[in-house]
Amino acid sequence: MSQPTDLNLNQAVQALSNGETSSRELTQAYLERIDFLEPELNAFVTLDHDGVLAQADKADQVRAASKNGGKEQHTAPLLGVPVAIKDVLAVKGLRATAGSKILESFVPPYDATAVERLRQTGAIIIGKTNTDEFAMGSSTENSAYGVTHNPWNMRRVPGGSSGGSAAAVAARMVPVALGTDTGGSVRQPASFCGVTGLKTTYGRVSRYGLIAYGSSLDTVGVLGQNVADVALIYNLINGHDERDATSAQMPQDDTNLNGSGRLQDVRVGIPDEYFRSGLQAEVETAVRQAIQVLESLGAEIHTIQMPHTQYAVPVYYLIAPAEASANLARFDGLRYGPRLEGDNLRDTYTGTRGQLFGRETKRRIMLGTYALSAGYQDAYYGKAQKVRTLIQSDFARAFEKVDLIAAPVAPTTAFEIGAHRGDPLSMYLEDIYTLPANLAGVPGIAFPVGFDSQGLPIGMQLIGPHFQEQMLMSVAHSYQTTTGWHTMKPDLSMITPC
Ligand code: GLN
């Protein structure tokens, strides 16, 4: 029997608006499913059981009133729809831990802009999803609140750092979730969990209310079951915000997927450098088959070169920790979250930070502080910035020849929990294909294109020029109208009662 939680976002919106279900029924169904699955998956850090049902009832009342002649219905496209938010974004009244002990008790008094915009359109925030501490990681193993398990295989990671959001969407614990992508954290978990994830152009969605990691790289993105669902949320959260100094002065983008279908005149670039050694053979095969599907839809396929791709890992792992070391200085035990009182101010700082930051966070702070320190800044941070410019010019040159780039998201499918324990460099190398888009600030979309022999999802990403989210989503949507990978869901019947 089909469950309300089987609906995708667009179907849920439809079912609510034509009265097939109520917000209470839908929300209750999600909460019940979460209660069954959460002990196994650990996708959430905080859930708002009581608050959510009260909001659902309120939404149902608003809808009933609007049917009797009110006008709310037209202004609230997500009225009564539950959504989840990565725990690095502020949601008023719900604690924001960023996956860290140092923010265990921090309850923001305001909403992030992206959250505020979802609320204004009627969405209900069901909870905060698990993340690597301060979004630093590729597996959620760096969360102080335990690892999230991949719904396709409980021994595997869901990817990271938005692993909780990806696992929650894949397991149908929520129809859609917000994530953030600083170096791949929306696309890679989307790929590992078999869902669709959009990384927006830097500046397209406000960073106001996002706990900063790498400020020149951080972007807010969306994870959903398919492109149409992701587009619905993207349309609501994007657009200029004066509270974020790097927010782009662009009119609000409004993606319409109705026209997508044939891909005549779309030139797709395949970068040689994204298909080198280290790429799992099954990933390469699935991605190349997906490229053939694009070709069969009318796209022109071109081989291109992105010669500075190999420097993305060292460049990113200097710039991101350098920015993080500055951003994380504010967590001093005085302003936010818990404090470990020392005999003097210095002991309070070092005690709080030493005890409450996790290992990877401390490693990044030390790396970043070193890269910025007097005498080394030019050699490390300065040099990394110069090479970042070369990576940006790879994209600029590519987009003179092609409209978009198609490539794998990650070199492998979801790896085993613990596979990279004790070897941070091998973990960093997992990010090789996602980091360049962040260094260039361009948008990307990841979506499922097959499975490996272990039954784990394989993802492909499309990367486009700045502010071309619409074009990327329209091409990815065309792919999804002729293929069924995005409709596959993990078998969780061992855990769920039905
Ligand atoms: N895995 C990368 C890192 O550890 C990217 C994380 C992200 O995008 N937030 O920094």
Side-chain angles (χ1 to χ4, degrees):
M1 205 186 81
S2 104
Q3 308 290 314
T5 52
D6 286 336
L7 301 174
N8 64 39
L9 177 66
N10 275 281
Q11 290 166 338
V13 167
Q14 194 62 42
L16 283 166
S17 93
N18 59 28
E20 281 165 37
T21 188
S22 66
S23 178
R24 170 162 274 261
E25 193 185 354
L26 189 65
T27 307
Q28 187 97 49
Y30 278 116
L31 284 175
E32 276 167 22
R33 192 165 168 85
I34 290 171
D35 285 342
F36 274 108
L37 294 176
E38 187 57 7
E40 305 294 323
L41 290 177
N42 192 36
F44 288 87
V45 178
T46 304
L47 280 160
D48 187 21
H49 270 98
D50 302 336
V52 149
L53 288 174
Q55 288 178 62
D57 288 340
K58 175 124 184 292
D60 287 333
Q61 283 159 17
V62 169
R63 193 177 296 279
S66 80
K67 285 222 170 83
N68 299 331
K71 51 183 179 324
E72 283 88 343
Q73 205 174 355
H74 305 290
T75 54
L78 295 183
L79 185 60
V81 179
V83 304
I85 309 291
K86 183 179 180 180
D87 208 17
V88 291
L89 286 157
V91 173
K92 185 177 175 180
L94 284 187
R95 66 182 181 148
T97 70
S100 181
K101 285 273 173 239
I102 212 164
L103 286 176
E104 192 169 18
S105 54
F106 170 58
V107 179
Y110 66 100
D111 280 334
T113 296
V115 172
E116 182 183 83
R117 291 186 180 182
L118 288 182
R119 267 206 228 267
Q120 281 164 354
T121 57
I124 296 173
I125 315 297
I126 204 163
K128 305 294 295 289
T129 53
N130 200 13
T131 166
D132 289 289
E133 187 174 17
F134 292 104
M136 296 174 181
S138 315
S139 65
T140 75
E141 291 170 289
N142 298 334
S143 169
Y145 303 91
V147 68
T148 297
H149 297 258
N150 190 314
W152 293 91
N153 181 330
M154 297 290 167
R155 290 189 312 279
R156 305 271 170 160
V157 302
S161 59
S162 314
S165 288
V169 171
R172 309 303 193 248
M173 296 159 105
V174 71
V176 75
L178 292 189
T180 60
D181 194 314
T182 302
S185 280
V186 163
R187 290 162 290 154
Q188 185 254 24
S191 172
F192 279 15
C193 290
V195 301
T196 300
L198 174 71
K199 176 223 174 282
T200 52
T201 305
Y202 182 79
R204 177 69 104 174
V205 177
S206 172
R207 292 185 294 115
Y208 179 76
L210 164 61
I211 296 169
Y213 164 19
S215 300
S216 74
L217 302 153
D218 291 342
T219 58
V220 177
V222 188
L223 296 104
Q225 286 179 35
N226 56 49
V227 178
D229 287 0
V230 165
L232 174 56
I233 298 295
Y234 164 77
N235 285 349
L236 300 172
I237 63 171
N238 85 81
H240 180 66
D241 177 18
E242 61 187 16
R243 293 175 297 187
D244 169 3
T246 59
S247 169
Q249 296 277 355
M250 301 277 286
Q252 188 159 0
D253 199 17
D254 188 17
T255 304
N256 181 349
L257 297 173
N258 289 340
S260 35
R262 297 284 302 159
L263 300 179
Q264 233 80 58
D265 303 327
V266 176
R267 298 163 302 166
V268 179
I270 314 299
D272 274 335
E273 293 78 3
Y274 284 62
F275 292 86
R276 296 262 162 91
S277 67
L279 178 59
Q280 188 180 321
E282 293 169 300
V283 174
E284 170 156 8
T285 305
V287 169
R288 292 209 186 272
Q289 277 166 359
I291 292 165
Q292 276 171 16
V293 172
L294 298 180
E295 192 169 20
S296 71
L297 288 167
E300 276 176 34
I301 309 298
H302 299 266
T303 300
I304 58 166
Q305 269 71 47
M306 308 280 284
H308 299 97
T309 305
Q310 58 176 314
Y311 303 115
V313 171
V315 166
Y316 173 89
Y317 279 98
L318 282 166
I319 292 175
E323 294 181 3
S325 72
N327 279 325
L328 269 49
R330 73 191 62 167
F331 302 113
D332 55 6
L334 303 185
R335 283 176 281 192
Y336 310 87
R339 172 187 315 168
L340 301 186
E341 206 78 57
D343 289 342
N344 51 48
L345 185 61
R346 193 190 162 87
D347 286 356
T348 301
Y349 286 158
T350 52
T352 304
R353 288 167 67 85
Q355 297 285 318
L356 299 182
F357 278 141
R359 280 179 69 83
E360 182 61 23
T361 301
K362 284 190 268 194
R363 178 181 293 119
R364 304 265 181 123
I365 292 172
M366 285 189 279
L367 265 172
T369 307
Y370 185 79
L372 289 175
S373 57
Y376 295 99
Q377 184 163 357
D378 284 350
Y380 294 108
Y381 186 70
K383 181 99 170 258
Q385 290 291 13
K386 288 189 182 132
V387 183
R388 179 178 187 171
T389 306
L390 296 175
I391 292 170
Q392 287 165 343
S393 64
D394 276 359
F395 282 98
R397 260 196 296 276
F399 293 135
E400 285 168 11
K401 293 196 214 96
V402 296
D403 300 301
L404 59 105
I405 292 164
V409 180
T412 65
T413 51
F415 45 87
E416 298 229 348
I417 292 169
H420 296 287
R421 196 168 289 148
D423 187 358
L425 192 56
S426 73
M427 182 77 94
Y428 300 168
L429 289 168
E430 284 281 337
D431 299 339
I432 175 77
Y433 302 137
T434 49
L435 303 175
N438 298 80
L439 290 165
V442 294
I445 189 163
F447 49 95
V449 295
F451 289 88
D452 72 3
S453 54
Q454 309 285 309
L456 296 164
I458 297 172
M460 174 167 93
Q461 62 177 332
L462 304 178
I463 304 171
H466 294 101
F467 303 109
Q468 293 292 322
E469 284 89 346
Q470 282 212 34
M471 185 263 297
L472 289 183
M473 285 192 274
S474 141
V475 173
H477 181 67
S478 296
Y479 177 85
Q480 291 189 340
T481 51
T482 46
T483 54
W485 302 114
H486 61 287
T487 63
M488 311 282 278
K489 53 181 190 178
D491 179 9
L492 295 165
S493 55
M494 304 288 280
I495 310 169
T496 45
C498 39

